Amino acid sequence: MTHQSKLATTGFSRIGGMAAIGFAVMITLANVIMVPAGLPLTGAEIGEVSEFFATEGIAVGIGSALTPAAWILATLFGAGALVALRRSERGRGEAWSLLGLAGLALQNVTFAGVVATRLALTTTAPHNPSATAGLWALHDAVFTLNGTFLALALLGLSLGGFRAGLIRPWHGALGLIAAALQFSSATLAHWVIANGGALGLLGLVGWLMWVVWVVAYGITLIRQNPNTPVRRFTRGHTSATPA
């Protein structure tokens, strides 16, 4: 790889790094707006749900307005990580970064369903209790199952980043633990929705770890040096060669 192409690769990875931090900021802001306004937790009673969506339409609207930009930023982050990792992975015959990008794309699509359901609830809550109950049940199911795709993104980019020598062991471990929590929440979706409580904390803790992981990954991509060695695995041992 020429020096010019190294700079181009690193430049796009830095764009991905900035997008990762922007994505984390957007999803955090959306929650800062809606959670204090009273956004119901998974499994909340329908009365609480109806009251929130009937009276807090502006908060839901503002929170929802942030999400299209967040989806674009998440995709840019995944693409930037892919560029940073793909050359190293090709030498090992691996595709962890592709798995991570697929997870980000799928969570974008799935969460679009969550946001669309919330917007629909602001219309049904004041006038149609039965439709509100059905939409909220759908919201909880899609919201909880979305943990599957967050886990996929965390798994792919954590393993890919660690094996390429891009991220530190603690960062990779954080991603794998968050992936396990998100996947556990999605697997136990029926009981999470029905009971909440301690089971509901699986997804919440996993989500908080996910945000920290995204920010740390963004900083790593921004600081990436085009001359950083790429880790290669050959004949059962590890060696470093210039990127």
Side-chain angles (χ1 to χ4, degrees):
M1 184 180 287
T2 66
H3 184 65
Q4 184 176 4
S5 61
K6 285 180 186 177
L7 290 175
T9 297
T10 306
F12 190 83
S13 294
R14 284 174 176 163
I15 291 172
M18 290 183 284
I21 295 172
F23 169 67
V25 169
M26 288 291 183
I27 61 176
T28 301
L29 277 176
N31 280 279
V32 165
I33 290 167
M34 288 193 291
V35 171
L39 179 67
L41 299 175
T42 301
E45 295 294 330
I46 196 59
E48 178 186 351
V49 172
S50 296
E51 181 180 358
F52 173 79
F53 285 100
T55 59
E56 297 294 341
I58 293 177
V60 175
I62 295 173
S64 300
L66 296 172
T67 52
W71 297 328
I72 291 173
L73 291 169
T75 307
L76 277 172
F77 159 51
L82 176 71
V83 166
L85 301 175
R86 194 71 195 111
R87 177 171 175 259
S88 172
E89 288 184 332
R90 276 197 297 265
R92 300 192 302 273
E94 297 177 351
W96 293 112
S97 61
L98 289 171
L99 190 72
L101 179 59
L104 287 169
L106 288 168
Q107 78 88 31
N108 282 352
V109 173
T110 306
F111 210 77
V114 172
V115 173
T117 306
R118 289 175 179 173
L119 291 171
L121 282 163
T122 62
T123 300
T124 63
H127 313 293
N128 195 330
S130 60
T132 298
L135 284 171
W136 182 248
L138 176 64
H139 170 278
D140 279 357
V142 176
F143 181 81
T144 308
L145 292 172
N146 184 51
T148 306
F149 307 119
L150 293 179
L152 195 63
L154 286 157
L155 174 67
L157 295 181
S158 292
L159 286 179
F162 176 70
R163 288 179 63 77
L166 178 67
I167 64 173
R168 296 178 182 275
W170 71 264
H171 191 185
L174 178 69
L176 294 178
I177 293 170
L181 291 172
Q182 289 289 342
F183 186 72
S184 297
S185 178
T187 301
L188 299 172
H190 172 76
W191 294 276
V192 171
I193 295 168
N195 303 313
L199 286 178
L201 291 176
L202 288 173
L204 175 60
V205 174
W207 185 85
L208 292 172
M209 294 175 71
W210 149 257
V211 175
V212 173
W213 176 90
V214 168
V215 171
Y217 220 117
I219 293 171
T220 298
L221 290 174
I222 290 170
R223 298 165 102 180
Q224 186 190 15
N225 188 320
N227 295 313
T228 298
V230 176
R231 183 181 297 169
R232 296 183 184 276
F233 291 80
T234 57
R235 296 186 180 180
H237 67 275
T238 303
S239 62
T241 61

